[in-house]
Amino acid sequence: MGKGAGCFPSKNRPPPVADHSPTPSAQPPSLPPNARASQPDAPPREDTARSSSLPRDAKLKIFIVFYSMYGHVEGLAKRLKRGVDGVEGVEGVLYRVPETLPIEVLNQMRAPPKDDSIPEIAPEDLEAADGLLFGFPTRYGAMASQMKAFFDSTGNLWKGQKLAGKPAGFFVSTGTQGGGQETTAWTAITQLAHHGMLFVPIGYTFGPGMFNMEFIRGGSPYGAGVFAGDGTREPSETELALAEHQGKYMAVVVKRLAKS
């Protein structure tokens, strides 16, 4: 036979390879019944909710931000904190706004020294709060200039709407019964509106204490309040209890919003 002919393969031609591919009519082998169960589970989907990004022991923060000249608003602030802290998973944090009056003027007004254990707050700190409670004395039916100066310094937060959606409330101090228990809080709502914050009044949730007419009491549906008189009157237990109630009420609202 000639070279490369007959049954001997040519050196230049590869030997034939057997075709083991299934015929078109063949079906792929089925998985055994337990194959699915033996496969590893898919990794859990990452939860992007706020609660998953926080440590298990992390608490919601309500910043209690106030200005107090003679200590009346500060007394309310501390009782508000007690109310906030009484709700599981929520913590109240006290801050004071910067003083704008020189020490010489404060001395002439016989204002007591500030409590150094309560830090001053900077405008950018507000962004870290889950809820806010602002306290201040009245000046002719509106907030004191120290608190107004602080709100005036929040322009960068307003520009970026960094506080939008945060719940907020007020508590106040006035000299007399007709001195602005309601209007001092009412006129302050404009600050919240421009920031897009949610005003949370207490309404009449304090119960019978809101209707007791046997003694003088500060506070209104807008929030807790105290009568300071000439500066020497101390807050009554009812006024302090109303403040504690407001702290608890706000904590419940903040906690509910965090779950939504």
Side-chain angles (χ1 to χ4, degrees):
M1 294 183 181
K3 188 176 181 180
C7 62
F8 295 96
S10 169
K11 293 181 179 179
N12 297 325
R13 183 184 301 171
V17 178
D19 185 6
H20 297 292
S21 60
T23 62
S25 60
Q27 298 295 327
S30 59
L31 293 174
N34 62 346
R36 183 177 181 85
S38 63
Q39 292 178 349
D41 294 333
R45 182 172 59 87
E46 183 179 357
D47 188 358
T48 57
R50 182 185 185 280
S51 59
S52 66
S53 63
L54 294 174
R56 290 183 180 273
D57 59 347
K59 292 185 177 182
L60 297 168
K61 305 289 186 182
I62 295 180
F63 288 3
I64 304 170
V65 183
F66 67 92
Y67 173 75
S68 186
M69 177 171 284
Y70 293 105
H72 296 82
V73 176
E74 183 174 325
L76 293 182
K78 291 178 178 178
R79 284 297 286 265
L80 264 88
K81 174 175 167 55
R82 182 191 296 185
V84 171
D85 293 345
V87 176
E88 183 180 1
V90 190
E91 179 183 3
V93 184
L94 294 173
Y95 287 104
R96 66 173 71 253
V97 301
E99 178 62 78
T100 59
L101 293 176
I103 187 63
E104 295 80 12
V105 174
L106 292 172
N107 289 337
Q108 291 177 5
M109 299 177 71
R110 298 181 181 179
K114 301 290 191 291
D115 183 352
D116 293 334
S117 66
I118 301 176
E120 285 189 356
I121 192 169
E124 58 270 18
D125 295 333
L126 296 177
E127 192 175 351
D130 297 290
L132 293 159
L133 287 166
F134 297 101
F136 36 83
T138 189
R139 297 294 184 266
Y140 305 111
M143 67 174 63
S145 61
Q146 289 86 346
M147 182 60 74
K148 184 60 168 64
F150 176 75
F151 273 111
D152 288 348
S153 68
T154 61
N156 285 335
L157 295 175
W158 165 80
K159 184 177 180 180
Q161 286 294 283
K162 300 296 186 180
L163 304 181
K166 290 186 185 293
F170 301 123
F171 56 103
V172 303
S173 170
T174 67
T176 62
Q177 295 183 63
Q181 285 284 313
E182 291 191 349
T183 60
T184 304
W186 176 46
T187 54
I189 293 176
T190 58
Q191 312 297 317
L192 307 187
H194 283 263
H195 278 285
M197 289 187 278
L198 309 176
F199 176 50
V200 182
I202 60 173
Y204 284 83
T205 58
F206 189 51
M210 296 291 287
F211 298 93
N212 195 324
M213 302 293 291
E214 296 181 1
F215 48 82
I216 295 175
R217 171 193 57 79
S220 73
Y222 292 91
V226 59
F227 291 126
D230 61 358
T232 60
R233 179 183 181 271
E234 295 296 327
S236 69
E237 182 53 39
T238 301
E239 290 169 332
L240 294 173
L242 178 55
E244 185 172 339
H245 168 77
Q246 183 177 7
K248 181 178 180 180
Y249 183 81
M250 176 61 85
V252 171
V253 170
V254 168
K255 193 173 181 179
R256 185 179 302 163
L257 289 175
K259 293 180 179 179
S260 62

Short mmCIF file of all heavy atoms in Angstrom, two decimals, residues 83-139:
data_model
loop_
_atom_site.label_atom_id
_atom_site.label_comp_id
_atom_site.label_asym_id
_atom_site.label_seq_id
_atom_site.Cartn_x
_atom_site.Cartn_y
_atom_site.Cartn_z
N GLY A 83 -36.69 61.71 82.35
CA GLY A 83 -37.78 61.09 81.61
C GLY A 83 -37.29 60.34 80.38
O GLY A 83 -37.74 59.23 80.10
N VAL A 84 -36.37 60.95 79.64
CA VAL A 84 -35.82 60.30 78.45
C VAL A 84 -35.10 59.01 78.83
O VAL A 84 -35.30 57.95 78.22
CB VAL A 84 -34.85 61.25 77.71
CG1 VAL A 84 -34.12 60.50 76.59
CG2 VAL A 84 -35.60 62.44 77.14
N ASP A 85 -34.26 59.09 79.86
CA ASP A 85 -33.46 57.93 80.27
C ASP A 85 -34.33 56.79 80.81
O ASP A 85 -33.88 55.65 80.88
CB ASP A 85 -32.45 58.34 81.33
CG ASP A 85 -31.37 59.27 80.79
OD1 ASP A 85 -31.24 59.38 79.55
OD2 ASP A 85 -30.66 59.90 81.60
N GLY A 86 -35.57 57.11 81.19
CA GLY A 86 -36.46 56.08 81.71
C GLY A 86 -37.05 55.19 80.64
O GLY A 86 -37.71 54.20 80.96
N VAL A 87 -36.83 55.52 79.38
CA VAL A 87 -37.34 54.71 78.27
C VAL A 87 -36.20 53.85 77.74
O VAL A 87 -35.13 54.36 77.38
CB VAL A 87 -37.91 55.60 77.15
CG1 VAL A 87 -38.34 54.75 75.95
CG2 VAL A 87 -39.08 56.41 77.67
N GLU A 88 -36.41 52.56 77.69
CA GLU A 88 -35.36 51.62 77.28
C GLU A 88 -34.89 51.92 75.86
O GLU A 88 -35.69 52.15 74.95
CB GLU A 88 -35.88 50.19 77.35
CG GLU A 88 -34.84 49.13 77.01
CD GLU A 88 -35.40 47.73 77.10
OE1 GLU A 88 -36.60 47.58 77.39
OE2 GLU A 88 -34.63 46.77 76.87
N GLY A 89 -33.57 51.96 75.70
CA GLY A 89 -32.99 52.16 74.38
C GLY A 89 -32.82 53.61 73.98
O GLY A 89 -32.40 53.88 72.85
N VAL A 90 -33.13 54.55 74.88
CA VAL A 90 -33.03 55.97 74.56
C VAL A 90 -32.25 56.66 75.67
O VAL A 90 -32.41 56.35 76.85
CB VAL A 90 -34.41 56.63 74.40
CG1 VAL A 90 -34.27 58.04 73.82
CG2 VAL A 90 -35.32 55.79 73.51
N GLU A 91 -31.42 57.63 75.29
CA GLU A 91 -30.59 58.35 76.25
C GLU A 91 -30.68 59.85 76.00
O GLU A 91 -30.61 60.30 74.85
CB GLU A 91 -29.13 57.90 76.13
CG GLU A 91 -28.18 58.62 77.08
CD GLU A 91 -26.74 58.21 76.89
OE1 GLU A 91 -26.46 57.39 75.98
OE2 GLU A 91 -25.88 58.70 77.65
N GLY A 92 -30.85 60.61 77.07
CA GLY A 92 -30.85 62.07 76.97
C GLY A 92 -29.45 62.61 77.20
O GLY A 92 -28.74 62.16 78.09
N VAL A 93 -29.06 63.60 76.41
CA VAL A 93 -27.74 64.22 76.52
C VAL A 93 -27.92 65.72 76.69
O VAL A 93 -28.54 66.37 75.85
CB VAL A 93 -26.87 63.92 75.28
CG1 VAL A 93 -25.46 64.49 75.47
CG2 VAL A 93 -26.82 62.43 74.99
N LEU A 94 -27.40 66.26 77.78
CA LEU A 94 -27.55 67.68 78.09
C LEU A 94 -26.48 68.51 77.41
O LEU A 94 -25.29 68.17 77.44
CB LEU A 94 -27.49 67.90 79.60
CG LEU A 94 -28.63 67.32 80.45
CD1 LEU A 94 -28.31 67.49 81.93
CD2 LEU A 94 -29.96 67.99 80.11
N TYR A 95 -26.90 69.63 76.82
CA TYR A 95 -25.99 70.61 76.24
C TYR A 95 -26.53 72.01 76.54
O TYR A 95 -27.74 72.21 76.59
CB TYR A 95 -25.89 70.47 74.72
CG TYR A 95 -25.13 69.27 74.22
CD1 TYR A 95 -25.80 68.16 73.71
CD2 TYR A 95 -23.74 69.24 74.23
CE1 TYR A 95 -25.11 67.06 73.23
CE2 TYR A 95 -23.04 68.15 73.76
CZ TYR A 95 -23.72 67.06 73.26
OH TYR A 95 -23.04 65.97 72.79
N ARG A 96 -25.62 72.95 76.69
CA ARG A 96 -26.04 74.34 76.79
C ARG A 96 -25.51 75.10 75.58
O ARG A 96 -24.49 74.72 74.99
CB ARG A 96 -25.55 74.99 78.09
CG ARG A 96 -24.05 75.15 78.21
CD ARG A 96 -23.66 75.97 79.44
NE ARG A 96 -23.87 75.25 80.68
CZ ARG A 96 -24.85 75.52 81.54
NH1 ARG A 96 -25.71 76.48 81.28
NH2 ARG A 96 -24.98 74.84 82.66
N VAL A 97 -26.23 76.15 75.19
CA VAL A 97 -25.76 76.97 74.07
C VAL A 97 -24.80 78.03 74.62
O VAL A 97 -24.83 78.36 75.81
CB VAL A 97 -26.94 77.64 73.33
CG1 VAL A 97 -27.89 76.60 72.78
CG2 VAL A 97 -27.67 78.63 74.23
N PRO A 98 -23.93 78.57 73.79
CA PRO A 98 -22.96 79.56 74.26
C PRO A 98 -23.63 80.82 74.81
O PRO A 98 -24.67 81.27 74.31
CB PRO A 98 -22.14 79.87 73.01
CG PRO A 98 -22.31 78.68 72.13
CD PRO A 98 -23.70 78.19 72.37
N GLU A 99 -23.03 81.37 75.83
CA GLU A 99 -23.49 82.65 76.40
C GLU A 99 -23.01 83.78 75.50
O GLU A 99 -21.90 83.74 74.95
CB GLU A 99 -22.92 82.81 77.81
CG GLU A 99 -23.27 84.11 78.51
CD GLU A 99 -24.77 84.26 78.70
OE1 GLU A 99 -25.32 83.63 79.62
OE2 GLU A 99 -25.37 85.03 77.91
N THR A 100 -23.85 84.79 75.33
CA THR A 100 -23.49 85.93 74.50
C THR A 100 -23.25 87.20 75.31
O THR A 100 -22.71 88.17 74.78
CB THR A 100 -24.60 86.21 73.46
OG1 THR A 100 -25.83 86.48 74.15
CG2 THR A 100 -24.79 85.02 72.53
N LEU A 101 -23.64 87.19 76.58
CA LEU A 101 -23.43 88.37 77.42
C LEU A 101 -22.06 88.32 78.09
O LEU A 101 -21.61 87.24 78.50
CB LEU A 101 -24.51 88.46 78.50
CG LEU A 101 -25.94 88.74 78.03
CD1 LEU A 101 -26.90 88.69 79.21
CD2 LEU A 101 -26.02 90.08 77.32
N PRO A 102 -21.39 89.45 78.23
CA PRO A 102 -20.10 89.46 78.94
C PRO A 102 -20.29 89.18 80.42
O PRO A 102 -21.37 89.41 80.98
CB PRO A 102 -19.57 90.88 78.69
CG PRO A 102 -20.76 91.69 78.33
CD PRO A 102 -21.73 90.77 77.67
N ILE A 103 -19.26 88.67 81.05
CA ILE A 103 -19.34 88.27 82.45
C ILE A 103 -19.70 89.45 83.35
O ILE A 103 -20.38 89.29 84.37
CB ILE A 103 -18.02 87.61 82.90
CG1 ILE A 103 -18.15 87.04 84.30
CG2 ILE A 103 -16.87 88.59 82.79
CD1 ILE A 103 -19.16 85.93 84.43
N GLU A 104 -19.27 90.65 82.98
CA GLU A 104 -19.57 91.84 83.79
C GLU A 104 -21.07 92.09 83.85
O GLU A 104 -21.62 92.43 84.90
CB GLU A 104 -18.86 93.07 83.22
CG GLU A 104 -17.33 93.02 83.28
CD GLU A 104 -16.74 92.19 82.17
OE1 GLU A 104 -17.49 91.84 81.23
OE2 GLU A 104 -15.52 91.89 82.24
N VAL A 105 -21.74 91.90 82.73
CA VAL A 105 -23.19 92.10 82.69
C VAL A 105 -23.90 91.00 83.48
O VAL A 105 -24.85 91.27 84.23
CB VAL A 105 -23.68 92.12 81.23
CG1 VAL A 105 -25.21 92.18 81.17
CG2 VAL A 105 -23.08 93.30 80.48
N LEU A 106 -23.43 89.77 83.34
CA LEU A 106 -24.04 88.67 84.08
C LEU A 106 -23.89 88.88 85.58
O LEU A 106 -24.81 88.57 86.35
CB LEU A 106 -23.39 87.35 83.66
CG LEU A 106 -23.67 86.88 82.23
CD1 LEU A 106 -22.82 85.67 81.89
CD2 LEU A 106 -25.15 86.57 82.04
N ASN A 107 -22.75 89.40 86.00
CA ASN A 107 -22.56 89.67 87.43
C ASN A 107 -23.51 90.75 87.92
O ASN A 107 -24.06 90.66 89.03
CB ASN A 107 -21.11 90.09 87.69
CG ASN A 107 -20.14 88.92 87.53
OD1 ASN A 107 -20.53 87.76 87.65
ND2 ASN A 107 -18.87 89.23 87.26
N GLN A 108 -23.72 91.78 87.11
CA GLN A 108 -24.66 92.83 87.49
C GLN A 108 -26.09 92.31 87.57
O GLN A 108 -26.89 92.80 88.37
CB GLN A 108 -24.57 93.98 86.48
CG GLN A 108 -23.26 94.76 86.53
CD GLN A 108 -23.20 95.84 85.47
OE1 GLN A 108 -24.17 96.08 84.75
NE2 GLN A 108 -22.05 96.50 85.37
N MET A 109 -26.39 91.31 86.76
CA MET A 109 -27.73 90.70 86.77
C MET A 109 -27.84 89.61 87.83
O MET A 109 -28.89 88.98 87.96
CB MET A 109 -28.05 90.13 85.39
CG MET A 109 -28.06 91.17 84.28
SD MET A 109 -28.34 90.46 82.63
CE MET A 109 -30.07 89.99 82.77
N ARG A 110 -26.76 89.38 88.57
CA ARG A 110 -26.71 88.38 89.63
C ARG A 110 -27.03 86.98 89.12
O ARG A 110 -27.69 86.18 89.79
CB ARG A 110 -27.66 88.77 90.77
CG ARG A 110 -27.30 90.09 91.43
CD ARG A 110 -28.24 90.42 92.57
NE ARG A 110 -27.89 91.70 93.19
CZ ARG A 110 -28.56 92.25 94.21
NH1 ARG A 110 -29.63 91.62 94.71
NH2 ARG A 110 -28.18 93.40 94.71
N ALA A 111 -26.56 86.71 87.92
CA ALA A 111 -26.74 85.37 87.35
C ALA A 111 -25.72 84.42 87.96
O ALA A 111 -24.53 84.75 88.04
CB ALA A 111 -26.57 85.42 85.84
N PRO A 112 -26.13 83.26 88.42
CA PRO A 112 -25.19 82.30 89.01
C PRO A 112 -24.25 81.74 87.95
O PRO A 112 -24.56 81.79 86.75
CB PRO A 112 -26.10 81.21 89.58
CG PRO A 112 -27.34 81.28 88.76
CD PRO A 112 -27.52 82.73 88.40
N PRO A 113 -23.11 81.21 88.35
CA PRO A 113 -22.17 80.63 87.37
C PRO A 113 -22.77 79.40 86.70
O PRO A 113 -23.63 78.71 87.26
CB PRO A 113 -20.94 80.27 88.21
CG PRO A 113 -21.46 80.16 89.62
CD PRO A 113 -22.58 81.13 89.73
N LYS A 114 -22.31 79.12 85.49
CA LYS A 114 -22.80 77.98 84.73
C LYS A 114 -22.21 76.68 85.28
O LYS A 114 -21.14 76.66 85.87
CB LYS A 114 -22.41 78.12 83.25
CG LYS A 114 -22.94 79.39 82.58
CD LYS A 114 -24.44 79.33 82.38
CE LYS A 114 -24.94 80.44 81.48
NZ LYS A 114 -24.85 81.79 82.07
N ASP A 115 -22.94 75.60 85.10
CA ASP A 115 -22.49 74.26 85.49
C ASP A 115 -21.50 73.76 84.45
O ASP A 115 -21.88 73.45 83.31
CB ASP A 115 -23.69 73.33 85.59
CG ASP A 115 -23.32 71.94 86.08
OD1 ASP A 115 -22.11 71.64 86.21
OD2 ASP A 115 -24.24 71.13 86.33
N ASP A 116 -20.23 73.70 84.82
CA ASP A 116 -19.19 73.31 83.87
C ASP A 116 -19.28 71.85 83.43
O ASP A 116 -18.65 71.45 82.45
CB ASP A 116 -17.80 73.56 84.48
CG ASP A 116 -17.50 75.04 84.66
OD1 ASP A 116 -18.10 75.85 83.92
OD2 ASP A 116 -16.69 75.38 85.54
N SER A 117 -20.07 71.05 84.14
CA SER A 117 -20.19 69.64 83.76
C SER A 117 -21.08 69.45 82.53
O SER A 117 -21.10 68.36 81.94
CB SER A 117 -20.75 68.82 84.93
OG SER A 117 -22.09 69.19 85.21
N ILE A 118 -21.81 70.50 82.16
CA ILE A 118 -22.67 70.43 80.97
C ILE A 118 -21.95 71.16 79.84
O ILE A 118 -21.72 72.36 79.92
CB ILE A 118 -24.04 71.07 81.23
CG1 ILE A 118 -24.74 70.36 82.39
CG2 ILE A 118 -24.90 71.03 79.98
CD1 ILE A 118 -26.07 70.97 82.79
N PRO A 119 -21.57 70.46 78.79
CA PRO A 119 -20.77 71.08 77.73
C PRO A 119 -21.59 72.00 76.84
O PRO A 119 -22.82 71.88 76.74
CB PRO A 119 -20.26 69.87 76.92
CG PRO A 119 -21.31 68.83 77.13
CD PRO A 119 -21.82 69.02 78.53
N GLU A 120 -20.89 72.94 76.20
CA GLU A 120 -21.52 73.77 75.18
C GLU A 120 -21.63 72.97 73.89
O GLU A 120 -20.79 72.13 73.58
CB GLU A 120 -20.71 75.04 74.94
CG GLU A 120 -20.85 76.07 76.02
CD GLU A 120 -20.21 77.41 75.63
OE1 GLU A 120 -19.60 77.48 74.53
OE2 GLU A 120 -20.33 78.37 76.41
N ILE A 121 -22.67 73.26 73.14
CA ILE A 121 -22.90 72.55 71.89
C ILE A 121 -22.51 73.44 70.71
O ILE A 121 -22.66 74.67 70.77
CB ILE A 121 -24.37 72.11 71.77
CG1 ILE A 121 -24.56 71.13 70.61
CG2 ILE A 121 -25.30 73.32 71.63
CD1 ILE A 121 -25.92 70.45 70.60
N ALA A 122 -22.00 72.82 69.67
CA ALA A 122 -21.73 73.51 68.41
C ALA A 122 -22.84 73.16 67.42
O ALA A 122 -23.44 72.09 67.52
CB ALA A 122 -20.37 73.08 67.85
N PRO A 123 -23.15 74.05 66.49
CA PRO A 123 -24.26 73.78 65.57
C PRO A 123 -24.16 72.43 64.87
O PRO A 123 -25.16 71.72 64.74
CB PRO A 123 -24.17 74.95 64.57
CG PRO A 123 -23.52 76.04 65.33
CD PRO A 123 -22.54 75.37 66.25
N GLU A 124 -22.96 72.06 64.43
CA GLU A 124 -22.81 70.81 63.67
C GLU A 124 -23.08 69.58 64.52
O GLU A 124 -23.32 68.49 63.99
CB GLU A 124 -21.42 70.72 63.05
CG GLU A 124 -20.26 70.79 64.03
CD GLU A 124 -19.77 72.22 64.28
OE1 GLU A 124 -20.54 73.16 63.98
OE2 GLU A 124 -18.64 72.37 64.77
N ASP A 125 -23.06 69.73 65.85
CA ASP A 125 -23.34 68.59 66.72
C ASP A 125 -24.79 68.12 66.61
O ASP A 125 -25.09 66.95 66.89
CB ASP A 125 -23.04 68.95 68.19
CG ASP A 125 -21.58 69.24 68.43
OD1 ASP A 125 -20.74 68.70 67.68
OD2 ASP A 125 -21.27 70.00 69.37
N LEU A 126 -25.69 69.01 66.22
CA LEU A 126 -27.11 68.67 66.18
C LEU A 126 -27.40 67.51 65.23
O LEU A 126 -28.35 66.75 65.43
CB LEU A 126 -27.93 69.89 65.75
CG LEU A 126 -27.92 71.10 66.68
CD1 LEU A 126 -28.72 72.24 66.05
CD2 LEU A 126 -28.49 70.75 68.04
N GLU A 127 -26.58 67.36 64.21
CA GLU A 127 -26.83 66.34 63.20
C GLU A 127 -26.78 64.93 63.77
O GLU A 127 -27.41 64.01 63.25
CB GLU A 127 -25.82 66.49 62.06
CG GLU A 127 -26.16 65.69 60.82
CD GLU A 127 -25.19 65.95 59.68
OE1 GLU A 127 -24.37 66.88 59.79
OE2 GLU A 127 -25.27 65.22 58.68
N ALA A 128 -26.05 64.75 64.87
CA ALA A 128 -25.89 63.42 65.45
C ALA A 128 -27.08 63.01 66.32
O ALA A 128 -27.15 61.85 66.76
CB ALA A 128 -24.61 63.37 66.29
N ALA A 129 -28.02 63.91 66.57
CA ALA A 129 -29.14 63.61 67.45
C ALA A 129 -30.25 62.87 66.70
O ALA A 129 -30.48 63.11 65.52
CB ALA A 129 -29.70 64.89 68.05
N ASP A 130 -30.94 61.97 67.42
CA ASP A 130 -32.13 61.33 66.88
C ASP A 130 -33.38 62.14 67.18
O ASP A 130 -34.41 61.99 66.53
CB ASP A 130 -32.27 59.92 67.46
CG ASP A 130 -31.11 59.02 67.08
OD1 ASP A 130 -31.01 58.65 65.90
OD2 ASP A 130 -30.29 58.70 67.97
N GLY A 131 -33.30 62.99 68.19
CA GLY A 131 -34.38 63.89 68.56
C GLY A 131 -33.80 65.06 69.32
O GLY A 131 -32.69 64.98 69.87
N LEU A 132 -34.55 66.17 69.37
CA LEU A 132 -34.04 67.39 69.99
C LEU A 132 -35.11 68.04 70.86
O LEU A 132 -36.27 68.11 70.48
CB LEU A 132 -33.59 68.38 68.91
CG LEU A 132 -32.37 67.96 68.08
CD1 LEU A 132 -32.33 68.71 66.76
CD2 LEU A 132 -31.09 68.22 68.87
N LEU A 133 -34.68 68.50 72.03
CA LEU A 133 -35.54 69.28 72.92
C LEU A 133 -34.80 70.58 73.25
O LEU A 133 -33.69 70.54 73.79
CB LEU A 133 -35.85 68.51 74.20
CG LEU A 133 -36.84 67.34 74.05
CD1 LEU A 133 -36.81 66.45 75.28
CD2 LEU A 133 -38.25 67.86 73.80
N PHE A 134 -35.39 71.71 72.89
CA PHE A 134 -34.77 73.00 73.09
C PHE A 134 -35.48 73.74 74.22
O PHE A 134 -36.71 73.85 74.23
CB PHE A 134 -34.86 73.84 71.82
CG PHE A 134 -34.12 73.27 70.64
CD1 PHE A 134 -34.80 72.60 69.64
CD2 PHE A 134 -32.75 73.40 70.53
CE1 PHE A 134 -34.13 72.07 68.55
CE2 PHE A 134 -32.06 72.88 69.44
CZ PHE A 134 -32.76 72.20 68.45
N GLY A 135 -34.68 74.26 75.17
CA GLY A 135 -35.25 74.99 76.29
C GLY A 135 -34.66 76.38 76.41
O GLY A 135 -33.45 76.57 76.20
N PHE A 136 -35.50 77.37 76.77
CA PHE A 136 -35.02 78.75 76.85
C PHE A 136 -36.03 79.60 77.63
O PHE A 136 -37.23 79.30 77.66
CB PHE A 136 -34.83 79.34 75.44
CG PHE A 136 -35.86 78.88 74.45
CD1 PHE A 136 -37.11 79.48 74.36
CD2 PHE A 136 -35.58 77.82 73.61
CE1 PHE A 136 -38.05 79.04 73.45
CE2 PHE A 136 -36.52 77.36 72.69
CZ PHE A 136 -37.76 77.98 72.61
N PRO A 137 -35.55 80.68 78.23
CA PRO A 137 -36.46 81.64 78.86
C PRO A 137 -37.05 82.57 77.82
O PRO A 137 -36.56 82.64 76.68
CB PRO A 137 -35.55 82.39 79.83
CG PRO A 137 -34.20 82.31 79.22
CD PRO A 137 -34.14 81.00 78.49
N THR A 138 -38.11 83.26 78.21
CA THR A 138 -38.76 84.17 77.28
C THR A 138 -38.14 85.55 77.32
O THR A 138 -37.57 85.97 78.34
CB THR A 138 -40.26 84.29 77.61
OG1 THR A 138 -40.93 85.01 76.57
CG2 THR A 138 -40.48 85.01 78.93
N ARG A 139 -38.23 86.24 76.22
CA ARG A 139 -37.91 87.66 76.15
C ARG A 139 -39.02 88.31 75.33
O ARG A 139 -39.04 88.22 74.11
CB ARG A 139 -36.54 87.90 75.48
CG ARG A 139 -35.35 87.31 76.25
CD ARG A 139 -35.12 88.00 77.59
NE ARG A 139 -33.92 87.48 78.25
CZ ARG A 139 -33.91 86.50 79.14
NH1 ARG A 139 -35.05 85.90 79.47
NH2 ARG A 139 -32.78 86.10 79.69
#
